[in-house]
PDB file of all heavy atoms in Angstrom:
ATOM      1  N   ALA A 168      -0.376  14.419 -23.389  1.00  0.00           N
ATOM      2  CA  ALA A 168      -1.705  14.582 -23.957  1.00  0.00           C
ATOM      3  C   ALA A 168      -2.201  16.013 -23.781  1.00  0.00           C
ATOM      4  O   ALA A 168      -2.798  16.596 -24.690  1.00  0.00           O
ATOM      5  CB  ALA A 168      -2.679  13.608 -23.303  1.00  0.00           C
ATOM      6  N   THR A 241     -14.129  58.802 -15.083  1.00  0.00           N
ATOM      7  CA  THR A 241     -14.521  60.062 -14.442  1.00  0.00           C
ATOM      8  C   THR A 241     -13.994  61.287 -15.174  1.00  0.00           C
ATOM      9  O   THR A 241     -14.538  62.385 -15.028  1.00  0.00           O
ATOM     10  CB  THR A 241     -14.027  60.100 -12.979  1.00  0.00           C
ATOM     11  OG1 THR A 241     -12.596  59.909 -12.964  1.00  0.00           O
ATOM     12  CG2 THR A 241     -14.699  59.029 -12.156  1.00  0.00           C
ATOM     13  N   THR A 242     -12.951  61.133 -15.963  1.00  0.00           N
ATOM     14  CA  THR A 242     -12.370  62.288 -16.664  1.00  0.00           C
ATOM     15  C   THR A 242     -12.922  62.457 -18.078  1.00  0.00           C
ATOM     16  O   THR A 242     -12.517  63.388 -18.778  1.00  0.00           O
ATOM     17  CB  THR A 242     -10.847  62.149 -16.748  1.00  0.00           C
ATOM     18  OG1 THR A 242     -10.524  60.885 -17.360  1.00  0.00           O
ATOM     19  CG2 THR A 242     -10.216  62.221 -15.365  1.00  0.00           C
ATOM     20  N   ASP A 250     -16.655  65.206 -32.732  1.00  0.00           N
ATOM     21  CA  ASP A 250     -16.036  64.077 -32.044  1.00  0.00           C
ATOM     22  C   ASP A 250     -16.461  62.769 -32.708  1.00  0.00           C
ATOM     23  O   ASP A 250     -17.406  62.723 -33.502  1.00  0.00           O
ATOM     24  CB  ASP A 250     -16.447  64.051 -30.572  1.00  0.00           C
ATOM     25  CG  ASP A 250     -15.926  65.242 -29.791  1.00  0.00           C
ATOM     26  OD1 ASP A 250     -14.867  65.776 -30.167  1.00  0.00           O
ATOM     27  OD2 ASP A 250     -16.585  65.637 -28.808  1.00  0.00           O
ATOM     28  N   VAL A 278     -20.256  58.266 -35.356  1.00  0.00           N
ATOM     29  CA  VAL A 278     -20.229  56.995 -34.638  1.00  0.00           C
ATOM     30  C   VAL A 278     -19.641  55.922 -35.552  1.00  0.00           C
ATOM     31  O   VAL A 278     -20.118  55.724 -36.676  1.00  0.00           O
ATOM     32  CB  VAL A 278     -21.642  56.575 -34.185  1.00  0.00           C
ATOM     33  CG1 VAL A 278     -21.591  55.229 -33.465  1.00  0.00           C
ATOM     34  CG2 VAL A 278     -22.261  57.642 -33.293  1.00  0.00           C
ATOM     35  N   ALA A 301     -18.138  36.890 -37.191  1.00  0.00           N
ATOM     36  CA  ALA A 301     -17.891  35.887 -36.155  1.00  0.00           C
ATOM     37  C   ALA A 301     -19.207  35.536 -35.479  1.00  0.00           C
ATOM     38  O   ALA A 301     -20.220  36.229 -35.660  1.00  0.00           O
ATOM     39  CB  ALA A 301     -16.900  36.428 -35.125  1.00  0.00           C
ATOM     40  N   GLN A 314     -14.876  28.023 -30.679  1.00  0.00           N
ATOM     41  CA  GLN A 314     -14.508  28.653 -29.421  1.00  0.00           C
ATOM     42  C   GLN A 314     -15.747  29.069 -28.634  1.00  0.00           C
ATOM     43  O   GLN A 314     -16.844  29.182 -29.170  1.00  0.00           O
ATOM     44  CB  GLN A 314     -13.626  29.875 -29.676  1.00  0.00           C
ATOM     45  CG  GLN A 314     -12.317  29.553 -30.364  1.00  0.00           C
ATOM     46  CD  GLN A 314     -11.474  30.792 -30.518  1.00  0.00           C
ATOM     47  OE1 GLN A 314     -10.980  31.358 -29.539  1.00  0.00           O
ATOM     48  NE2 GLN A 314     -11.292  31.240 -31.748  1.00  0.00           N
ATOM     49  N   GLU A 321     -14.011  38.937 -30.383  1.00  0.00           N
ATOM     50  CA  GLU A 321     -13.088  39.769 -29.608  1.00  0.00           C
ATOM     51  C   GLU A 321     -11.662  39.665 -30.126  1.00  0.00           C
ATOM     52  O   GLU A 321     -10.922  40.662 -30.154  1.00  0.00           O
ATOM     53  CB  GLU A 321     -13.172  39.359 -28.133  1.00  0.00           C
ATOM     54  CG  GLU A 321     -14.522  39.661 -27.513  1.00  0.00           C
ATOM     55  CD  GLU A 321     -15.002  38.581 -26.553  1.00  0.00           C
ATOM     56  OE1 GLU A 321     -14.238  37.632 -26.273  1.00  0.00           O
ATOM     57  OE2 GLU A 321     -16.149  38.689 -26.088  1.00  0.00           O
ATOM     58  N   LEU A 324     -11.598  41.520 -33.407  1.00  0.00           N
ATOM     59  CA  LEU A 324     -11.724  42.938 -33.053  1.00  0.00           C
ATOM     60  C   LEU A 324     -10.350  43.484 -32.682  1.00  0.00           C
ATOM     61  O   LEU A 324      -9.960  44.568 -33.135  1.00  0.00           O
ATOM     62  CB  LEU A 324     -12.700  43.101 -31.887  1.00  0.00           C
ATOM     63  CG  LEU A 324     -12.811  44.495 -31.262  1.00  0.00           C
ATOM     64  CD1 LEU A 324     -13.324  45.509 -32.273  1.00  0.00           C
ATOM     65  CD2 LEU A 324     -13.729  44.452 -30.022  1.00  0.00           C
ATOM     66  N   THR A 328      -8.369  46.396 -34.771  1.00  0.00           N
ATOM     67  CA  THR A 328      -7.992  47.690 -34.179  1.00  0.00           C
ATOM     68  C   THR A 328      -6.484  47.905 -34.272  1.00  0.00           C
ATOM     69  O   THR A 328      -6.021  49.034 -34.459  1.00  0.00           O
ATOM     70  CB  THR A 328      -8.433  47.799 -32.707  1.00  0.00           C
ATOM     71  OG1 THR A 328      -7.817  46.756 -31.932  1.00  0.00           O
ATOM     72  CG2 THR A 328      -9.947  47.698 -32.571  1.00  0.00           C
ATOM     73  N   SER A 334      -2.091  51.389 -39.674  1.00  0.00           N
ATOM     74  CA  SER A 334      -2.317  52.186 -40.884  1.00  0.00           C
ATOM     75  C   SER A 334      -2.237  53.674 -40.589  1.00  0.00           C
ATOM     76  O   SER A 334      -1.645  54.441 -41.363  1.00  0.00           O
ATOM     77  CB  SER A 334      -3.687  51.836 -41.488  1.00  0.00           C
ATOM     78  OG  SER A 334      -3.719  50.491 -41.913  1.00  0.00           O
ATOM     79  N   TRP A 336      -0.589  55.024 -38.193  1.00  0.00           N
ATOM     80  CA  TRP A 336       0.825  55.288 -37.890  1.00  0.00           C
ATOM     81  C   TRP A 336       1.644  55.405 -39.170  1.00  0.00           C
ATOM     82  O   TRP A 336       2.499  56.279 -39.314  1.00  0.00           O
ATOM     83  CB  TRP A 336       1.370  54.186 -36.979  1.00  0.00           C
ATOM     84  CG  TRP A 336       2.783  54.410 -36.527  1.00  0.00           C
ATOM     85  CD1 TRP A 336       3.462  55.599 -36.465  1.00  0.00           C
ATOM     86  CD2 TRP A 336       3.691  53.408 -36.055  1.00  0.00           C
ATOM     87  NE1 TRP A 336       4.743  55.401 -35.979  1.00  0.00           N
ATOM     88  CE2 TRP A 336       4.906  54.072 -35.729  1.00  0.00           C
ATOM     89  CE3 TRP A 336       3.596  52.042 -35.883  1.00  0.00           C
ATOM     90  CZ2 TRP A 336       6.015  53.388 -35.238  1.00  0.00           C
ATOM     91  CZ3 TRP A 336       4.698  51.356 -35.389  1.00  0.00           C
ATOM     92  CH2 TRP A 336       5.886  52.023 -35.071  1.00  0.00           C
ATOM     93  N   TRP A 347       7.004  56.596 -28.138  1.00  0.00           N
ATOM     94  CA  TRP A 347       7.340  56.118 -26.800  1.00  0.00           C
ATOM     95  C   TRP A 347       7.325  57.242 -25.757  1.00  0.00           C
ATOM     96  O   TRP A 347       7.077  57.005 -24.583  1.00  0.00           O
ATOM     97  CB  TRP A 347       8.715  55.450 -26.827  1.00  0.00           C
ATOM     98  CG  TRP A 347       9.090  54.839 -25.515  1.00  0.00           C
ATOM     99  CD1 TRP A 347      10.014  55.285 -24.628  1.00  0.00           C
ATOM    100  CD2 TRP A 347       8.514  53.664 -24.923  1.00  0.00           C
ATOM    101  NE1 TRP A 347      10.080  54.464 -23.523  1.00  0.00           N
ATOM    102  CE2 TRP A 347       9.163  53.458 -23.678  1.00  0.00           C
ATOM    103  CE3 TRP A 347       7.542  52.753 -25.330  1.00  0.00           C
ATOM    104  CZ2 TRP A 347       8.847  52.389 -22.846  1.00  0.00           C
ATOM    105  CZ3 TRP A 347       7.231  51.693 -24.495  1.00  0.00           C
ATOM    106  CH2 TRP A 347       7.887  51.536 -23.271  1.00  0.00           C
TER     107      TRP A 347
END
Side-chain angles (χ1 to χ4, degrees):
T241 57
T242 55
D250 294 331
V278 179
Q314 298 183 68
E321 294 141 6
L324 172 63
T328 60
S334 296
W336 184 22
W347 184 252

